Amino acid sequence: MTGRFAAVAAGVAMAFSSVCQAQEAGPATSLDVELNALAPSQKGCMMTFVALNQLPAAINKVSFELAFLNDKNAVDRITVLDFRDLPQGKKRVRQFDMPNIKCESVTRILINDTPLCDGPAAGECMKGLVTRSQISVPFEG
């Protein structure tokens, strides 16, 4: 009976230790930006992004400097997109109609920088940046 009690006690202690370690790790601290869609538009290419702020503070205003690469892996254009505010823990969809860009010519998009990040500590937007793409065009940060 004491052997069984010792095994149960050891299991409980290990489970408690795992829970404590998970709590010490803290909440996720990332700024997730997903390239969700590219669609031809009358102006050029409508780009849809989904952003989720999981940083410790709300973002009052954020902009991203994006580089669009073509099929020759050359930078075709660099532009700054204003993602406006990103409340903490909330998903936001942001669309940008990019004039004179053909969607089919975009082979990769790179977030080069966050020139404006008002809310979190300095550098946290770029440091916590996590990118992903729901389409075949790679999206990197």
Side-chain angles (χ1 to χ4, degrees):
M1 182 88 161
T2 57
R4 212 188 283 180
F5 176 75
V8 170
V12 169
M14 284 178 26
F16 182 72
S17 173
S18 295
V19 168
C20 288
Q21 287 175 355
Q23 286 177 345
E24 286 173 12
T29 56
S30 63
L31 176 54
D32 301 340
V33 183
E34 171 191 285
L35 174 61
N36 189 268
L38 297 180
S41 69
Q42 288 184 348
K43 291 182 180 179
C45 185
M46 178 66 72
M47 300 185 175
T48 303
F49 298 89
V50 178
L52 173 61
N53 175 11
Q54 296 187 95
L55 296 173
I59 299 173
N60 301 317
K61 189 170 178 76
V62 65
S63 62
F64 296 104
E65 181 184 78
L66 273 65
F68 300 99
L69 288 86
N70 61 27
D71 58 353
K72 295 179 179 86
N73 208 27
V75 174
D76 191 44
R77 181 181 299 193
I78 295 177
T79 190
V80 175
L81 301 179
D82 180 4
F83 272 62
R84 302 185 318 260
D85 65 314
L86 296 175
Q88 187 180 22
K90 303 280 186 185
K91 281 188 181 181
R92 290 291 185 254
V93 175
R94 300 290 189 241
Q95 288 188 310
F96 303 93
D97 201 352
M98 301 300 297
N100 305 317
I101 290 185
K102 292 184 177 160
C103 293
E104 59 273 8
S105 71
V106 178
T107 60
R108 188 166 51 137
I109 300 174
L110 170 71
I111 294 182
N112 213 27
D113 194 12
T114 54
L116 177 63
C117 179
D118 177 20
E124 287 300 307
C125 285
M126 197 64 189
K127 181 180 167 190
L129 186 64
V130 175
T131 58
R132 71 179 140 276
S133 180
Q134 287 292 350
I135 60 175
S136 62
V137 175
F139 183 51
E140 303 165 11

